[in-house]
Amino acid sequence: MIKLKTVLVNELTFKNTLSMIEQYSIKDFLFKWVGEPPEGIDDYLPLEYTETVFAKMEAKQETDLRLFGDELFRYATITEDNQIVIGVLDSNEELTHRIISLDEVLAR
């Protein structure tokens, strides 16, 4: 299992908008990252683009994708430095951000 670097939100600068290419890139990455489910990413992990606070591909409310044991996937986004970041709720329902490095992407 890949360990992702956990960072504080004040260490990140998120984009205010994501281009269509960035949105599709996030979805494509997530599709590959979760093991290319046969039903496709839209059925396995339905996402919607939102710009509340910052731009992100957010899991719909009915989504219950658990990562790393008990962490609940909430959204994925891209920073101004073009890093992919995943937001998850931990077991205490605190929002945690994890940066996915290029090495971790290539290891998949």
Side-chain angles (χ1 to χ4, degrees):
M1 178 179 4
I2 295 174
K3 280 292 224 180
L4 304 179
K5 179 181 176 185
T6 302
V7 295
L8 300 174
V9 71
N10 63 350
E11 297 177 73
L12 301 170
T13 305
F14 297 110
K15 293 185 175 190
N16 293 322
T17 60
L18 297 175
S19 70
M20 290 301 292
I21 291 172
E22 290 169 323
Q23 292 175 48
Y24 286 123
S25 294
I26 289 171
K27 287 178 82 171
D28 183 60
F29 165 75
L30 290 172
F31 174 70
K32 292 174 184 168
W33 196 59
V34 297
E36 299 184 15
E39 63 267 50
I41 194 69
D42 292 327
D43 289 331
Y44 183 78
L45 178 59
L47 300 170
E48 60 186 343
Y49 176 66
T50 63
E51 291 181 354
T52 308
V53 182
F54 55 88
K56 58 192 162 294
M57 297 301 292
E58 192 166 11
K60 294 186 178 180
Q61 290 291 1
E62 66 274 4
T63 303
D64 187 27
L65 177 62
R66 300 284 170 171
L67 303 173
F68 317 111
D70 60 351
E71 295 179 330
L72 180 63
F73 176 87
R74 295 310 316 141
Y75 58 81
T77 190
I78 300 174
T79 66
E80 289 290 342
D81 296 327
N82 290 320
Q83 299 167 302
I84 296 176
V85 176
I86 293 178
V88 296
L89 289 177
D90 66 16
S91 59
N92 297 321
E93 295 193 12
E94 291 183 29
L95 187 61
T96 303
H97 294 89
R98 296 180 183 252
I99 294 175
I100 301 171
S101 73
L102 182 57
D103 292 339
E104 288 156 345
V105 172
L106 295 175
R108 287 244 165 219

